[in-house]
Amino acid sequence: MRRLAIETATETCSAALFEGDTLLASVHERVGRGHAERLIPMIAELPERGRAEQVLVDCGPGSFTGVRVGLAAARAFGFAWAAEVRGYSSLALIGGTAFEQSPDLQTLAVALIGGHGEYFVQRFTRQGMRAIAPFASLRPDAAAAVCGSYAVVGSGAPAMRDAGATGPLLQVEADARMTRFLPADLASLPPRPIYGRAPDARLPG
């Protein structure tokens, strides 16, 4: 099965085309806030303009706009190509990438910069590549307490050290190419946003 993987929830923007587990082609850029402008042209650079039978998209948590851009594109491609659309978590992708890059690492914490001074954090184990704690959006001190002495990876890692986490810091970027290392259960999420925190706007009453 040909699969198009999309990652737009973090500072990077990437797309990768697979045939089964074989990577056919990919594009990866650090864009900051430019996901909407870059994603479709990036996919157009792939063989057959990225056409696939399955689309795998990063549902977050991460950039609100980036998450929405990726999901909108994935749903549009799914409709146009009659393709299955599935989701995955940015936290799992970054955690899985760190395990692939650090073979001796057995457990870690992923910390991503969230909104309003909070950080998205979750702990993972290499065994079965699974979460060993639910993810949460927390203030720095509380997020650092979750990270503890675990190795910390992600955009929020330096802030976790400053807030009291004691584990080593790892440098890893989210990349759609690395979705091939996600186990099936972590690459089969419903294609809807994972925001990580309640919306600021609330209905009156």
Side-chain angles (χ1 to χ4, degrees):
M1 175 181 290
R2 186 162 289 194
R3 180 176 72 258
L4 172 67
I6 296 170
E7 197 291 304
T8 57
T10 67
E11 300 93 337
T12 62
C13 183
S14 58
L17 188 65
F18 300 90
E19 189 73 58
D21 291 329
T22 301
L23 177 66
L24 300 179
S26 67
V27 187
H28 175 271
E29 296 179 12
R30 173 174 281 273
V31 298
R33 299 177 180 273
H35 300 88
E37 294 77 19
R38 283 299 298 138
L39 180 61
I40 301 304
M42 289 171 69
I43 293 172
E45 295 178 29
L46 300 174
E48 298 182 38
R49 303 178 68 85
R51 189 180 183 95
E53 299 153 282
Q54 184 184 91
V55 182
L56 183 61
V57 61
D58 192 340
C59 297
S63 159
F64 177 88
T65 301
V67 169
R68 302 297 296 186
V69 166
L71 281 166
R75 290 167 176 163
F77 288 132
F79 178 79
W81 300 335
E84 177 185 28
V85 181
R86 295 184 177 183
Y88 64 92
S89 160
S90 54
L91 296 164
L93 176 65
I94 292 172
T97 301
F99 284 134
E100 287 298 319
Q101 295 181 359
S102 303
D104 295 332
L105 191 64
Q106 297 302 313
T107 54
L108 58 76
V110 180
L112 301 180
I113 298 170
H116 300 273
E118 295 188 353
Y119 292 83
F120 302 120
V121 291
Q122 190 168 24
R123 296 195 301 264
F124 292 88
T125 180
R126 174 185 294 276
Q127 185 177 9
M129 181 44 208
R130 59 184 175 84
I132 52 176
F135 89 89
S137 180
L138 302 170
R139 301 293 295 179
D141 289 351
V146 171
C147 296
S149 60
Y150 287 82
V152 188
V153 61
S155 60
M160 296 301 95
R161 170 64 60 79
D162 293 343
T166 59
L169 308 186
L170 305 177
Q171 296 292 323
V172 170
E173 285 191 338
D175 191 328
R177 291 176 296 179
M178 303 303 286
T179 56
R180 66 188 185 275
F181 297 116
L182 289 173
D185 62 320
L186 295 183
S188 301
L189 303 183
R192 57 175 179 255
I194 302 173
Y195 290 130
R197 63 190 306 275
D200 297 315
R202 298 182 184 277
L203 293 174

